[in-house]
Every structure is written in C-alpha cells, then in structure tokens.
Amino acid sequence: MQALLLAGGLGTRLRPLTEDWPKPMAHVGNRPWLEHLILMLKNQGIDDFVLAVKHFPEKIQHHFGKGDKWRVRIRYAVERSLLGTAGAIKNAEPLLQDRFLVFNADIIQTFRLAPFIEAHDRRGAALSIALTEVDDPSQYGVVEQDADGRILRFVEKPRPEEAPSRRINAGIYMMEKTLLADIPSGREVSIEREMFPRWIESGVRVYGHAMDGYWMDMGTAKRYRQVHRDLLDGRLDLPVGGSEIQKGVKIGTDCDIHPGVLFVPPVLIGDRVSIGERSVIGPYTVIGDGCRIGSGVRLSESILWNRCSVDNNAILANCIFGHGLSIGTRYAMHEAVMSRIGVNYA
Ligand code: GTP
C-alpha cells in the first residue's frame, strides 16, 4: 500500500515555530511528528511513501533521504508554488499508484487503517474520508451521511443544534487515481473546499468511515501543547524512548543530571541533556536532545526542541521553544512561543 503525505503547508497558525521549519516536522515527544507517522504507517504495512513538500523541503529531505534508515521507500513531489491540498495531490500524480492513502501530515492520530481500507473496497468507493467525532463540531465541516455511510454533504461550521452529526473530516483519505483527472493542474486547489463538494454533487462514490483512536490537529500552539499533555498523561500512545527514573519522569541516554534536581512529573527528557543543581523541572515539560539547563532554573509546562540552552536561574512557564534557542540567566518567560531563524539543523 502507498501513502501520500501532504507536508507542504506554511503552517501559519503555528508561527514562529514554522517560520523556518515545516509544521509536520514539529517535534512530538522529542521526535519529528512526520517520523512518528511514517513509523506508525510502516507498522501497518505501508512501505511506499510520497511526500508532497513545499515549505523548507530540504529540511524534510535531509532528515529522511530515500527512507533507507526506516526501511521504507520515500520519494518527493516538490511544489514550486503553493498548490493547496488537492493541487499537491495532482502534482504528485506521476508517482502515485492506482489507489493510495492520503494523510494531512499535521494531524496527530493513532488510527488503525485496515478497517478503513477494507470499508473502501467493500463499498466500491472512489474516495473514502476518515471521520473523527468531536465534542463541539461548530468549528469544523460536519458530514451528513446516508445509512450506508455515503456522504451527502458537508455542513460548514454549523450551530450545535443544526449539526447533522459530530463527525468531521479527519484529514485521511483513500483515493482511486482516476479521480485525479478532475483536479485542475497548475493552480492552488483545496480538496476540502473545492473538490469534495464537486465530487459529491457530481455523484462520485464518496464515503465516510468513522475511526477509533486519538486524533488532534496540531495546527495551533494551544493544540500543540494539548498534544503534549495528552502524550505525558498517556492518552496519546507514541514510542518516546527513555527510561523511567521516577514515576512519570523519563530520561534518555548520556544525560548529566545533578542529584539536586527536583522533578515534578510528568517530564520527558531526551538524550545528552544536562541539568544543573537546584533546578525544578516539570510538570508537563519536554526537553529535547542536547539541551543544556543551568542551575536554579524553573521549567514548567514547557516544550524545548533540540539543543536549547537555559542559563542559571531562568524561569520558563508554558513556553514552546524551537531548535537551538538560548535563554540568558535570570530571564523569566511565560507563554512564549519562539524560534531562531537561520540555525543549522544538521
Ligand atoms: P496554516 O497555514 O496554519 O493553515 O497551516 P497549513 O496550511 O500548513 O496546514 P493545513 O491544516 O491548512 O493543511 C493540512 C495539511 O496539508 C498540512 O499537513 C499541510 O502541510 C498540507 N498542505 C496544505 N497546503 C499544502 C500545499 O499547498 N502543498 C502541500 N504539499 N501540502 C499542503
């Protein structure tokens, strides 16, 4: 089975983290989400990947290469201009098989795909859309389906009493390649806004399939934080590595942690991290590989990507820091989302 991963969007709502970094490469539990996704799909029998890229494609290509390290095949469909979610699929057409899966690569999910693929085949669908149920559908496009699961229409941002269901598009599709003939080439085309309504109206067999499992669109800092809370609370199950040195505190290899550090769980720490005496780390804190944390530092509800340094007596609360940031001694920062442009990420 083949999967096309849409990973080329600008990620404007997650700026400044995405100012020089593709959103699907945002770290989740100290590893780029895209890597979690590829490994998870590989475990479900998918070994042929096409990555549709546009925003800092070299960061993705440098990390994954041809996929040898993960024992999968990875090829790239690179866009010169932003083509939108359907335009990106059209652009990848020469690399695609007769039927394939499509993933919005910024959706954090742990779905089992076999029942989805099986339902697509059983129904003879041209397009199957994975659906997830949300408590408040008023911010989303909600589906109306017939008794067989065929999608009759999407209702955009309905008032709660007018919502036909609580099921929304989960950003995962199974498609027959014949559909690509309908997508205009050479311009920006949205699959959600332009192609879904067109296909449904013209009688294409479009079905929806409800999925079980974790689902979160990590597109905003608020939801990105929530993903980490869910990970640290055990609601999101991802392989994060490290060994547990106390309940709820996981630490990677080659770390230099002063015995006088106080951990307030849950905490996740990567490899080669140093932390000085009297620092208090946690709760809900993730520290990436190669970070240096001084002494007397207070770090809570914060996420640091790789190679950040936080000098003595600094206080960080509810912050998200991209790779390679340095915070000076005695700085106090609350709710900061920061990145450093132009760092070499090799
Ligand atoms: P915002 O700018 O914050 O809306 O983010 P986004 O456009 O990066 O993400 P959005 O949620 O709108 O898109 C869903 C998925 O499709 C994400 O994984 C994006 O990377 C991807 N995507 C969106 N537009 C494009 C595009 O023009 N080309 C490619 N290759 N992927 C895209």
Side-chain angles (χ1 to χ4, degrees):
M1 180 60 71
Q2 185 182 50
L4 170 63
L5 310 185
L6 301 179
L10 300 180
T12 51
R13 291 164 300 155
L14 202 55
R15 284 178 182 161
L17 292 170
T18 46
E19 210 63 74
D20 66 343
W21 195 251
K23 179 169 56 167
M25 293 294 279
H27 278 209
V28 174
N30 284 337
R31 180 184 276 189
W33 163 249
L34 203 49
E35 190 177 323
H36 282 296
L37 177 62
I38 286 172
L39 283 171
M40 196 186 297
L41 298 183
K42 185 195 166 194
N43 288 338
Q44 300 192 52
I46 296 164
D47 59 2
D48 185 7
F49 292 89
V50 178
L51 271 52
V53 292
K54 161 68 180 80
H55 186 56
F56 294 96
E58 67 283 359
K59 302 248 156 90
I60 296 178
Q61 289 166 316
H62 176 79
H63 187 84
F64 291 105
K66 292 180 180 166
D68 298 348
K69 185 173 159 194
W70 294 268
R71 293 167 189 263
V72 295
R73 179 193 202 197
I74 297 180
R75 289 173 296 162
Y76 300 89
V78 185
E79 291 149 49
R80 273 198 229 111
S81 62
L82 214 56
L83 292 175
T85 41
I89 301 174
K90 181 74 175 174
N91 185 60
E93 191 168 7
L95 302 178
L96 296 172
Q97 296 171 353
D98 289 347
R99 55 210 286 282
F100 52 91
L101 290 156
V102 182
F103 291 81
N104 281 358
D106 62 339
I107 299 290
I108 314 295
Q109 48 79 22
T110 57
F111 294 152
R112 239 168 36 83
L113 295 165
F116 178 59
I117 297 168
E118 191 271 322
H120 178 88
D121 290 340
R122 181 168 32 82
R123 290 159 160 167
L127 170 66
S128 293
I129 302 176
L131 305 175
T132 188
E133 224 166 72
V134 290
D135 291 337
D136 174 13
S138 62
Q139 296 305 309
Y140 298 93
V142 179
V143 292
E144 184 175 335
Q145 293 170 278
D146 72 10
D148 295 329
R150 190 158 176 168
I151 295 183
L152 304 173
R153 60 181 183 133
F154 279 90
V155 184
E156 280 305 319
K157 303 195 171 137
R159 289 214 299 269
E161 65 278 13
E162 287 166 358
S165 73
R166 289 194 291 121
R167 291 177 173 182
I168 63 162
N169 171 10
I172 300 172
Y173 321 116
M174 174 109 183
M175 284 179 87
E176 300 298 312
K177 194 177 183 180
T178 48
L179 281 182
L180 269 54
D182 299 335
I183 303 176
S185 51
R187 70 164 170 92
E188 193 168 340
V189 188
S190 159
I191 197 165
E192 301 89 346
R193 287 191 297 278
E194 190 169 340
M195 297 316 299
F196 286 169
R198 191 193 293 183
W199 281 324
I200 291 166
E201 266 170 41
S202 64
V204 170
R205 295 177 71 82
V206 179
Y207 282 83
H209 184 82
M211 311 293 278
D212 286 328
Y214 186 88
W215 183 91
M216 179 75 74
D217 167 2
M218 68 155 153
T220 64
K222 185 173 174 212
R223 291 205 292 262
Y224 179 73
R225 283 194 178 98
Q226 187 60 47
V227 165
H228 281 86
R229 284 192 91 88
D230 292 341
L231 179 71
L232 293 170
D233 280 340
R235 283 188 294 272
L236 165 62
D237 184 18
L238 293 176
V240 291
S243 43
E244 203 163 45
I245 55 156
Q246 77 181 61
K247 192 167 164 40
V249 179
K250 275 191 162 183
I251 295 200
T253 55
D254 299 324
C255 291
D256 178 13
I257 312 287
H258 191 280
V261 173
L262 175 67
F263 289 110
V264 184
V267 171
L268 176 66
I269 292 178
D271 298 334
R272 301 176 305 283
V273 171
S274 63
I275 308 180
E277 60 182 323
R278 289 179 292 101
S279 286
V280 181
I281 310 294
Y284 294 103
T285 292
V286 178
I287 301 178
D289 294 345
C291 286
R292 287 187 302 107
I293 313 295
S295 56
V297 169
R298 181 75 187 88
L299 215 58
S300 64
E301 301 188 70
S302 292
I303 302 157
L304 274 52
W305 295 3
N306 296 350
R307 293 180 302 283
C308 290
S309 70
V310 182
D311 284 354
N312 298 349
N313 302 313
I315 300 173
L316 302 185
N318 225 343
C319 293
I320 309 173
F321 285 178
H323 292 304
L325 271 174
S326 299
I327 302 302
T329 183
R330 291 187 188 282
Y331 270 75
M333 307 186 83
H334 285 219
E335 312 269 338
V337 182
M338 293 173 71
S339 76
R340 197 179 138 197
I341 297 183
V343 182
N344 179 5
Y345 296 100

